């Protein structure tokens, strides 16, 4: 049995800060700070600048190899450029070892071939990309995403649901708010609670708060939840026949932190040590035959492909994308 882990956000390693700055990058540094609204106290800026330069170098070297055809995806500097590994863990992760609940197991549907391409965004199942901010609540965003899709499937109405409701109210089910959680714990809370509020009535705050669930504002119910065995074939079947699926992945790499676009494959990825929860909203195949999972992240539209990433499919469970896959039944 592969151990499962509390899923929070990324755990990313960055190289140590350089002792000196490159003056030729001054204009670029100031432009980056302005674009991302970064301000620092005087003694802090030098260290942040050094980290930013180190990250910039990693991105530059990767993209040089990308241009030579070594990689199938490119990287870019983004709002995470001034954070070290330690700062990432403090701001954005809640990594705790935790076993999962017993749940129903996905049964392969008795039907013929599934489509070669699936994108549930085109069928009304997927809300716009959200941003969890400096709060390890990716588990809540992932759970909400699959629940939004299943409620749409049932009712024909796409209603954004409240991640903050889960952050504040599901502690007794094993979740820890901004310090991490698990999607099935969220589903169990909604099932026992009898509902989950809308995001309009219970907006996201990126911090732990007091539970303020109001049944009058509920727009979802959960009857149970289903685990998909660790098989890319079965995950494809589930995505094709059920809708968006919650999954855990390993994101502890520069390549994921600064992903820009293309087919993401990371040979250093773990298939068992998962640290981030996301939503598989489809799958497909590129013109060169390389297969991918279409994944919705919760870091805003400024990351990746407007908040999405294409992750390698049928490449030995790269980054553990099928290790922990679940969805609610409504």
């Amino acid at each position: 049995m592969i151990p499962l882990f509390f899923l929070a956000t990324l755990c990313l390693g960055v190289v140590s800060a350089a002792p000196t700055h490159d003056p030729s990058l001054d204009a670029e540094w100031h432009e980056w700070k302005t674009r991302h609204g970064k301000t620092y106290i005087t003694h802090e800026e030098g260290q942040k600048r050094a980290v930013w330069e180190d990250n910039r170098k990693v991105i530059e070297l990767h993209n040089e190899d990308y241009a030579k055809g070594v990689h199938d995806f490119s990287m870019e500097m983004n709002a995470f450029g001034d954070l070290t590994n330690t700062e990432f863990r403090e701001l954005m992760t809640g990594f705790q070892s935790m076993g999962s609940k017993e749940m129903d197991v996905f049964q392969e549907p008795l039907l013929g071939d599934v489509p070669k391409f699936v994108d549930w965004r085109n069928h009304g199942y997927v809300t716009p990309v959200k941003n969890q901010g400096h709060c390890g609540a990716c588990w809540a965003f992932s759970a909400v995403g699959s629940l939004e899709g299943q409620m749409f499937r049932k009712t024909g109405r796409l209603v954004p649901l409240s991640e903050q409701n889960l952050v504040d109210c599901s502690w007794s089910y094993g979740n820890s708010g901004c310090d991490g959680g698990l999607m099935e714990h969220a589903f169990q809370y909604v099932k026992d609670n009898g509902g989950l509020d809308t995001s309009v009535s219970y907006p996201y705050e990126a911090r732990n708060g007091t539970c303020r669930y109001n049944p009058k504002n509920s727009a979802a119910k959960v009857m149970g939840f289903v685990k998909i065995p660790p098989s890319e074939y079965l995950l494809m079947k589930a995505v094709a026949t059920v809708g968006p699926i919650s999954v855990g992945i390993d994101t502890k790499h520069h390549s994921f932190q600064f992903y820009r676009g293309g087919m993401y494959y990371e040979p250093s990825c773990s298939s068992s040590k998962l640290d981030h929860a996301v939503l598989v909203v489809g799958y497909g195949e590129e013109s060169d035959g390389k297969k991918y999972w279409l994944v919705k992240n919760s870091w805003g539209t400024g990351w990746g492909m407007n908040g999405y990433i294409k992750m390698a499919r049928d490449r030995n469970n790269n980054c553990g994308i099928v290790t922990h896959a679940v969805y609610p039944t409504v």
Side-chain angles (χ1 to χ4, degrees), residues 33-323:
K33 286 195 301 177
T34 301
R35 183 176 352 125
H36 296 289
K38 302 281 186 175
T39 56
Y40 309 107
I41 52 179
T42 304
H43 74 272
E44 182 185 35
E45 178 152 0
Q47 184 268 336
K48 291 293 188 181
R49 167 74 178 263
V51 172
W52 177 84
E53 286 194 21
D54 285 340
N55 286 332
R56 183 185 180 280
K57 187 65 175 177
V58 169
I59 295 165
E60 186 178 56
L61 292 173
H62 174 94
N63 286 341
E64 287 175 2
D65 285 341
Y66 168 73
K68 299 171 185 174
V70 176
H71 306 293
D72 293 324
F73 67 97
S74 58
M75 293 166 61
E76 68 180 348
M77 179 57 71
N78 56 30
F80 303 144
D82 62 347
L83 295 177
T84 66
N85 178 272
T86 300
E87 288 166 334
F88 257 109
R89 291 173 184 272
E90 289 176 351
L91 290 171
M92 304 182 71
T93 67
F95 189 76
Q96 303 173 38
S97 179
M98 184 70 184
S100 68
K101 290 179 172 291
E102 292 297 318
M103 64 187 98
D104 294 333
V105 176
F106 178 71
Q107 301 297 317
E108 182 182 347
L110 298 174
L111 49 80
D113 293 336
V114 296
K116 191 173 182 179
F117 295 90
V118 170
D119 185 345
W120 288 113
R121 297 177 299 181
N122 298 332
H123 302 279
Y125 279 64
V126 185
T127 55
V129 169
K130 304 176 185 181
N131 194 339
Q132 68 191 66
H134 289 161
C135 167
C138 60
W139 58 273
F141 284 82
S142 176
V144 158
S146 52
L147 183 52
E148 288 169 340
Q150 290 309 294
M151 290 304 299
F152 175 83
R153 185 184 185 198
K154 180 178 182 178
T155 67
R157 295 175 61 237
L158 183 64
V159 180
L161 300 172
S162 174
E163 294 85 10
Q164 193 67 41
N165 187 167
L166 294 175
V167 168
D168 293 344
C169 304
S170 65
W171 288 71
S172 63
Y173 289 83
N175 291 326
S176 300
C178 285
D179 290 321
L182 209 55
M183 293 84 80
E184 51 266 42
H185 295 335
F187 298 146
Q188 187 68 55
Y189 159 76
V190 179
K191 179 182 178 182
D192 293 350
N193 189 54
L196 184 70
D197 283 349
T198 65
S199 61
V200 170
S201 67
Y202 201 149
Y204 186 64
E205 299 172 344
R207 59 185 175 87
N208 298 329
T210 303
C211 182
R212 305 185 298 281
Y213 171 75
N214 185 337
K216 294 179 181 178
N217 298 320
S218 175
K221 290 183 181 294
V222 169
M223 304 304 293
F225 34 94
V226 178
K227 176 176 174 57
I228 300 162
S231 154
E232 298 203 53
Y233 170 77
L234 290 178
L235 179 58
M236 181 182 73
K237 286 274 190 173
V239 172
T241 58
V242 174
I245 305 292
S246 293
V247 300
I249 55 174
D250 171 25
T251 64
K252 298 185 290 288
H253 310 279
H254 284 102
S255 56
F256 201 93
Q257 178 181 1
F258 297 111
Y259 169 82
R260 177 172 63 190
M263 178 83 72
Y264 183 78
Y265 175 76
E266 174 52 73
S268 300
C269 256
S270 171
S271 61
S272 60
K273 296 179 180 178
L274 315 179
D275 69 331
H276 188 48
V278 290
L279 187 70
V280 178
V281 302
Y283 59 82
E285 188 174 317
E286 301 287 20
S287 57
D288 60 5
K290 291 179 179 175
K291 300 175 181 178
Y292 63 84
W293 299 107
L294 181 61
V295 176
K296 180 187 183 185
N297 202 355
S298 52
W299 296 341
T301 56
W303 177 89
M305 299 187 297
N306 296 313
Y308 284 84
I309 181 173
K310 287 181 176 179
M311 299 187 68
R313 178 164 65 93
D314 291 344
R315 294 196 68 177
N316 196 30
N317 188 20
N318 190 239
C319 297
I321 195 161
V322 299
T323 299

